[in-house]
Amino acid sequence: MRRENPAGFVADDDAGRVDLDVVHGYLRTAYWSPGVPREVVARAIANSIVVGVYAPDGAQVAFARAVTDRATFAWIADVFVLPSHQGQGLGRFVVSTLLDHPELQGLRRTMLATADAHGLYRSYGFEGLADPSRFLVAQRAAADLYAETVGNNQA
């Protein structure tokens, strides 16, 4: 799936085109994934539906991914626009391209979490959970998890 906006930016779902240096560089300092190892980001990209946004010169400037079973459920994650390209509508461009992806159509539930982009996602029909007490999370400390993940890949 490939789209171009009027300013010449291209959204593309080709995982092979993703600039791992750009994505890891952003995610390792993001509030939701501080310190995430490069290997973890690479594996996440390989196991997700991804959309990268590329400037007219080909440089990657935005990213989003969906973790999904492609039948009933998807989790939208790791959505960002590089600070140097914010304010140009690229957040909407990457999110709308991902949500329009053919493999994400007809799902019963699509979810995400955000600390600061509620307005953006509400414009696509996302809303607060009707009954958050039904949802649970098993969470581990990122530092411990990353140490195990990187250690297991080196064994």
Side-chain angles (χ1 to χ4, degrees), residues 45-136:
I45 290 168
N47 290 296
S48 300
I49 294 172
V50 300
V51 171
V53 174
Y54 306 90
D57 68 1
Q60 185 166 358
V61 298
F63 179 80
R65 69 184 182 95
V67 181
T68 182
D69 62 8
R70 293 172 167 83
T72 64
F73 177 82
W75 179 267
I76 305 303
D78 296 337
V79 179
F80 71 85
V81 176
L82 293 178
S84 59
H85 287 81
Q86 292 175 2
Q88 300 179 58
L90 299 177
R92 288 193 176 280
F93 187 45
V94 72
V95 169
S96 65
T97 302
L98 182 62
L99 293 175
D100 288 346
H101 195 282
E103 294 190 58
L104 298 178
Q105 303 312 299
L107 303 179
R108 183 173 60 232
R109 180 174 289 133
T110 302
M111 297 181 70
L112 58 82
T114 184
D116 55 7
H118 295 79
L120 169 67
Y121 295 113
R122 283 192 176 108
S123 73
Y124 291 102
F126 288 86
E127 54 191 43
L129 295 171
D131 185 359
S133 69
R134 292 180 178 214
F135 291 82
L136 303 172

